[in-house]
Amino acid sequence: MSEQIWKAVQHAATRAVVAAAVPLVIGLGGGYASSVEAQTVLKAAFYQPAGHPIVELTKEGLAKIEKETEGRVKFAIYPSSTLVPTAEMASGVDDGTAFLAVWYMPYMSKTIPLFDIETVPVWTAGTCKAIIDAYDAGLSDVYTEALKRQGLQNVKVAGVTQCLPRVLAARHEVRTPSDTKGLKVRSVGSEADMFKAIGASPVNMTMDQAYEALSRGIIDGITNAFMMIYERGQLEPLKHVTNVNLTSVLMHLIYNPSMLSKLDPRDRAIVEKGMKDVAAHVRAGLDKRSAETIASAPGKFGTVIYVPTEADRKQWNQAADATRKAFEARGEKDPLIKKALTYVYQFNPKQ
């Protein structure tokens, strides 16, 4: 047998062995296609930098989803607005550039006035539980409706990822609204309207600008979540913190539900439920971190924390009354605001 014929026979024999082996692989793996699982990569957008608690806690929650789908779903993390600009997170989710984002909704309050509700002092119960209950009862769905009305058809609000009471940090002690007269305070949204009404001087600026403004005497105080003021070192010049707690600093997880159809049918329900679970996981982690900063601030910065008495709190609620009524008036022209307030007042009564 010539060498050429011998090689041809060998090649034919090899092909026959491979062909015979394929049914064995199919039998063992339950099908050739399932022996090599397809993986779908979903993109997660953040404006916070890598290493930020929100990014790290979200990654932990997403890892659980990856495990439950046995690796068929993978999440790619894009911090620092590297995938979508901060102000365009909702539109980036809507067009599928990102599958999900953790975002501060009042960034859109100029186009969607409903989102200003987060800065309106309507949260009279003074607890994050009451706020979360309002969102879980239907306020998150009203947010989704508002996004659709704005043309963002493929954005859904999964839940609240951050609920930290907004405090007032100042150079001098503030117990009641009258103590804020003349105070130049960095404040936001409708909360700023309340401070203006009670005699303070609210200043609109980003938190990145606040430290320099403090050093130059442009402002005497800041409202934000305690943890954020702590981590930015702003408690060095601002020794007094008042737990006003009329509003909270909220963030939400939004995602694109239409992209679920691209997933393996086994994974769609896992990912959809997982979005709510991730929101709860991040919120719990931030609550723990916030508590740690509150506990360590007196020793680290010499911070004096004042928790208003019931009598003080009544004065703060009264001071906020005009701002609440102004927002309610807007609800007469905007049915979504009116609908949202029914959920708010279900858990945060007016009185």
Side-chain angles (χ1 to χ4, degrees):
M1 184 180 295
S2 70
E3 183 178 352
Q4 185 175 4
I5 295 175
W6 174 245
K7 287 183 178 179
V9 171
Q10 279 188 314
H11 182 64
T14 300
R15 290 180 60 188
V17 170
V18 171
V22 169
L24 180 62
V25 172
I26 292 175
L28 291 174
Y32 179 75
S34 66
S35 68
V36 180
E37 295 282 8
Q39 186 182 75
T40 301
V41 178
L42 299 175
K43 298 178 181 180
F46 302 84
Y47 65 81
Q48 298 86 358
H52 189 282
I54 287 177
V55 178
E56 296 308 307
L57 287 165
T58 303
K59 285 168 64 176
E60 291 175 6
L62 295 177
K64 294 179 182 179
I65 298 176
E66 293 177 347
K67 185 176 181 180
E68 287 185 39
T69 63
E70 299 178 339
R72 291 184 296 273
V73 174
K74 181 78 175 175
F75 292 93
I77 306 299
Y78 292 83
S80 302
S81 299
T82 52
L83 181 65
V84 181
T86 301
E88 300 172 18
M89 289 288 179
S91 57
V93 170
D94 182 65
D95 65 21
T97 300
F99 171 68
L100 70 90
V102 175
W103 201 44
Y104 183 57
M105 305 297 275
Y107 282 143
M108 288 189 72
S109 62
K110 288 185 178 179
T111 54
I112 305 181
L114 165 65
F115 294 163
D116 223 6
I117 198 170
E118 296 183 19
T119 66
V120 179
V122 293
W123 312 98
T124 53
T127 66
C128 271
K129 182 182 184 308
I131 295 174
I132 301 304
D133 287 346
Y135 277 94
D136 287 347
L139 187 51
S140 287
D141 294 334
V142 179
Y143 268 39
T144 299
E145 284 184 60
L147 289 163
K148 288 184 183 299
R149 189 176 66 177
Q150 195 61 31
L152 301 171
Q153 300 295 316
N154 298 312
V155 183
K156 186 171 182 177
V157 179
V160 178
T161 55
Q162 174 179 294
C163 182
L164 299 177
R166 192 179 291 274
V167 303
L168 169 63
R171 297 186 194 276
H172 66 263
E173 185 178 60
V174 173
R175 294 192 172 207
T176 63
S178 62
D179 295 330
T180 67
K181 291 190 186 305
L183 187 73
K184 295 174 291 186
V185 57
R186 181 265 180 189
S187 188
V188 296
S190 294
E191 182 193 60
D193 296 336
M194 180 198 73
F195 277 111
K196 185 176 181 180
I198 61 179
S201 299
V203 181
N204 184 10
M205 64 175 60
T206 67
M207 283 297 284
D208 290 336
Q209 298 169 317
Y211 197 92
E212 182 180 354
L214 283 168
S215 63
R216 294 170 58 187
I218 296 173
I219 57 175
D220 307 305
I222 292 172
T223 63
N224 208 324
F226 190 99
M227 182 182 76
M228 296 177 183
I229 298 172
Y230 176 101
E231 292 185 341
R232 289 174 178 267
Q234 292 162 342
L235 291 177
E236 291 176 359
L238 304 175
K239 300 299 183 186
H240 295 274
V241 174
T242 306
N243 187 27
V244 179
N245 198 15
L246 286 173
T247 63
S248 286
V249 184
L250 304 178
M251 295 194 69
H252 301 264
L253 189 151
I254 57 176
Y255 70 101
N256 185 320
S258 67
M259 293 178 70
L260 296 175
S261 62
K262 299 178 181 179
L263 303 180
D264 187 302
R266 293 170 291 179
D267 301 326
R268 293 168 191 169
I270 294 174
V271 173
E272 188 163 30
K273 177 181 178 299
M275 293 298 97
K276 292 182 178 294
D277 293 342
V278 169
H281 177 77
V282 175
R283 191 171 68 245
L286 291 177
D287 286 349
K288 181 179 178 182
R289 188 178 181 91
S290 178
E292 291 170 351
T293 62
I294 292 170
S296 66
K300 183 173 182 178
F301 295 108
T303 307
V304 178
I305 301 173
Y306 180 70
V307 179
T309 64
E310 283 301 315
D312 293 341
R313 183 162 177 78
K314 187 175 181 180
Q315 289 188 51
W316 282 106
N317 279 324
Q318 290 172 343
D321 199 44
T323 307
R324 287 196 294 269
K325 288 180 178 178
F327 192 71
E328 289 172 358
R330 295 170 75 179
E332 296 305 315
K333 297 181 180 179
D334 188 334
L336 288 183
I337 288 179
K338 195 168 188 176
K339 186 176 182 180
L341 285 171
T342 63
Y343 292 113
V344 172
Y345 290 142
Q346 181 180 345
F347 301 96
N348 300 267
K350 292 185 182 181
Q351 300 299 326

